[in-house]
Amino acid sequence: MNGAVEHIATDQPPDDTRARDLDYAWQPGNQVELLENGEAYFPKVFEALRQARQEILLETFILFEDKVGHELHGILIKAAQRGVKVVVSLDGFGCGELSPGFLGELAQAGVTVQMFDPAPKTLGFRTNWFRRLHRKIVVVDATVGFIGGINFSADHLADFGPEAKQDYAVQVIGPAVADLHHFALAQSGRPVRTRRGWRRQQRPAWATEEGDGLVRLIYRDNLQHRSDIEEAYLHALRHARQRVVIANAYFFPGYRLLRELRNAARRGVQVQLIMQGQPDVLLAKLAARMLYDYLLKEGVVIHEYCQRPLHGKVALVDEAWSTVGSSNLDPLSLSLNLEANVLIHDRGFNQQLFERLEDLSRNHCKTMPENRTPRGWLWRVTVGFVVFHVLRYFPAWTGWLPAHKPRLKPFVHDRSQDHEPSPHG
């Protein structure tokens, strides 16, 4: 970052300390809408942003200067110009290539833009690979919220071509939006008050009340909430009785989660995993395949989605429990990144998500065959063992690498560069 934008350090604590004491309860009475891919997500979000009257809070891992990014750019500028308070938090790795002109126009319009762990390249390489701001959250006027795995980039639209991503998010309207708003404020460094109805949760994050329309915000940080998302998955798997469907782009969880998947299948639960068959990162597919033998031999059904890259992070258990968010089931998401998911207890939503995933697995996936004596099985077991245990200790090793104490840094517009327009229009 240079030219129109100057980073300024602040005395604020690291971003992942902002929510160290925030535990959110299950909130009843919500309307939750599944948004599949950019075709459903972007129109909903952009319309909400255009209707904003008081405040926009937006966090994203990736924002590109393409047709989606430029549309968002224009909407945010117009919102700020009509007096809406706009706070945008971007990841320094995922958004590190944004041009000074693009960012400067936002700042000049009055948008507060913050970069999580910005870092210049060293010898042409990035050093801020780890502990990234991977959340995707939008809250408008504290009345409507969006959360999921979809970034603001054109590769979430089908017309991008064969590399377009398959992904999911949700729109939430109801009491749970107050929690999303409270959390987003805290993470952005804005002043927050203990809102009415908020309380420190005494029951486990995954325990639910009766009824539908229940939503609970959970998240992963690098302090007191390191394993909340993983624990929610584990609890749901332990209590599964009928079906489990997990669609996750980057699948290489720890042994505990693998064991619960195996145990669920052993007691007769229909366990289906939907993985990448056409990966955007080849290593992700190779790593996941190291686990197939362990799961297939216990009755877990594994599908590989082959139409285009899978980017989803969704799951459902039985007829009511679901989760949608930003967290993959790999070492980065489960041990390093800042992530956020919502847990949803709603039969209608669960059924809709199940139908969409069932269509995906039936019509656009190949099912991996079980073969107890596959060719090269000894090699795969050996390599799988080594890779699994290397990645098991990978999160601790990354603490030795550069940029291991990331901060959320605001930046200000350098008005001496006002004459430089954005190179992308």
Side-chain angles (χ1 to χ4, degrees), residues 35 66 76 132 157 310 366 390:
L35 304 175
D66 55 22
L76 294 177
R132 298 173 292 184
L157 294 168
L310 176 68
K366 63 179 180 182
V390 167

Side-chain angles (χ1 to χ4, degrees), residues 376-392:
W377 69 271
L378 182 59
W379 177 85
R380 288 210 302 273
V381 169
T382 302
V383 174
F385 177 85
V386 173
V387 171
F388 179 83
H389 285 284
V390 167
L391 292 184
R392 178 183 177 188

Side-chain angles (χ1 to χ4, degrees), residues 42 77 111 124 127 140 149 159 174 183 195 218 223 226 261 287 326 331 344 371 382:
F42 296 137
I77 287 175
V111 176
T127 60
V140 179
D159 63 10
F183 178 75
R195 70 170 192 82
I218 59 173
L223 292 164
R226 294 172 181 262
L261 286 169
S326 66
I344 302 162
N371 189 342
T382 302

Side-chain angles (χ1 to χ4, degrees), residues 244 265 270-274 295-296 299-303 367-368:
V244 171
Q270 296 179 354
V271 181
Q272 296 185 64
L273 304 180
I274 302 176
L295 296 170
L296 288 170
V300 175
V301 177
I302 299 177
H303 309 283
T367 302
M368 306 307 293

Side-chain angles (χ1 to χ4, degrees), residues 26 30-32 211-215 319-322 344-352:
W26 282 94
N30 298 280
Q31 299 175 16
V32 186
D212 289 338
L214 287 148
V215 174
E319 296 181 349
W321 188 96
S322 310
I344 302 162
H345 192 276
D346 187 283
R347 289 169 179 81
F349 179 87
N350 180 289
Q351 181 62 28
Q352 183 186 15

Side-chain angles (χ1 to χ4, degrees), residues 265-285:
R266 281 180 172 177
R267 64 177 182 265
V269 178
Q270 296 179 354
V271 181
Q272 296 185 64
L273 304 180
I274 302 176
M275 313 281 204
Q276 289 202 45
Q278 183 183 324
D280 53 351
V281 179
L282 181 59
L283 179 61
K285 179 179 178 179

Side-chain angles (χ1 to χ4, degrees), residues 27 77 103 117 135 173 212 224 251 278 283 315-316 327:
Q27 298 289 355
I77 287 175
L103 294 170
D117 192 24
R135 301 185 296 254
I173 297 175
D212 289 338
Q224 294 186 359
F251 185 86
Q278 183 183 324
L283 179 61
L316 62 90
S327 182

